[in-house]
Amino acid sequence: ENDLHIGIGIQHAAEHDANALRCRLHREAPGGVQDCREILDIILVVGLNHRTSPLEVREKLSLTKAQLPQALESMAAYGVPGVILCTCNRSEFYTLDAHSTKPGSPNNPGAGADRVKRFLVERFGISLLDVDRYLYTYQGYECIHHLFRVASSLDSMILGETEILGQVREALVEASKAA
């Protein structure tokens, strides 16, 4: 019964964080994005975690809380403003792929992910050849699904740990400050 209450609490908190993220993304939506359904189509994440990369690679793409504001500013300079989630087991870079395929716009799938990867190369001084095989990219529904799995700790090294939800919330707060 106690686990059920914890699970319901995590679900409510995750829904709150998703609503806050949706509002932030809607405020920063690129020109031409009319509503949240379009935002859901173009939201994307590029990241790596404990399942996709060894510790030494994760360390190369990690940020401290003090480094986060400058990294968010730098990411925005690459045309991909967003949210950066860095924990001991993951580094994820969420943004809107305004250059993706949308009805009525030219085909350019993957442009947002490419911009995030260029940001990673420049910001962290890494070779894309060295880390690209460890990176995952999710867009649209897959990105939202992934974010919910992360926030609810279903994608954590220790299933059910409660720290991640606070880390997701803090990443959103820091990104809001930087905007």
Side-chain angles (χ1 to χ4, degrees):
E1 186 175 311
N2 193 28
D3 288 345
L4 176 63
H5 291 311
I6 291 171
I8 290 171
I10 289 174
Q11 179 182 356
H12 286 299
E15 288 170 2
H16 176 269
D17 287 347
N19 285 335
L21 176 62
R22 187 177 67 237
C23 291
R24 172 174 160 49
L25 292 173
H26 196 268
R27 282 194 310 272
E28 293 183 6
V33 174
Q34 301 299 315
D35 63 30
C36 290
R37 287 182 304 258
E38 288 183 38
I39 290 173
L40 292 178
D41 290 339
I42 63 173
I43 188 171
L44 82 96
V45 62
V46 175
L48 49 78
N49 63 29
H50 62 280
R51 293 172 199 219
T52 66
S53 64
L55 179 61
E56 54 271 5
V57 174
R58 293 194 311 269
E59 286 175 342
K60 289 179 183 177
L61 295 180
S62 68
L63 292 165
T64 65
K65 188 174 180 177
Q67 295 170 321
L68 200 52
Q70 183 182 15
L72 287 162
E73 185 178 313
S74 178
M75 192 167 136
Y78 279 83
V80 285
V83 176
I84 299 174
L85 174 63
C86 281
T87 71
C88 57
N89 288 316
R90 76 180 62 250
S91 291
E92 296 183 336
F93 305 85
Y94 291 86
T95 190
L96 297 178
D97 187 358
H99 310 284
S100 71
T101 305
K102 297 186 294 185
S105 67
N107 266 350
N108 198 3
D114 289 344
R115 288 173 183 233
V116 171
K117 289 177 182 181
R118 280 198 305 266
F119 156 74
L120 296 176
V121 166
E122 296 290 324
R123 174 68 175 88
F124 295 100
I126 57 168
S127 165
L128 190 56
L129 293 173
D130 292 339
V131 298
D132 197 39
R133 68 177 174 246
Y134 302 113
L135 295 173
Y136 48 80
T137 302
Y138 300 120
Q139 186 161 351
Y141 171 79
E142 289 179 338
C143 177
I144 298 298
H145 183 259
H146 173 74
L147 177 58
F148 273 93
R149 287 185 52 78
V150 169
S152 64
S153 84
L154 294 174
D155 195 52
S156 294
M157 189 178 257
I158 300 172
L159 188 64
E161 61 94 2
T162 57
E163 215 174 310
I164 187 65
L165 186 58
Q167 292 168 323
V168 170
R169 184 177 291 123
E170 185 61 29
L172 182 60
V173 166
E174 289 299 318
S176 295
K177 288 179 190 175

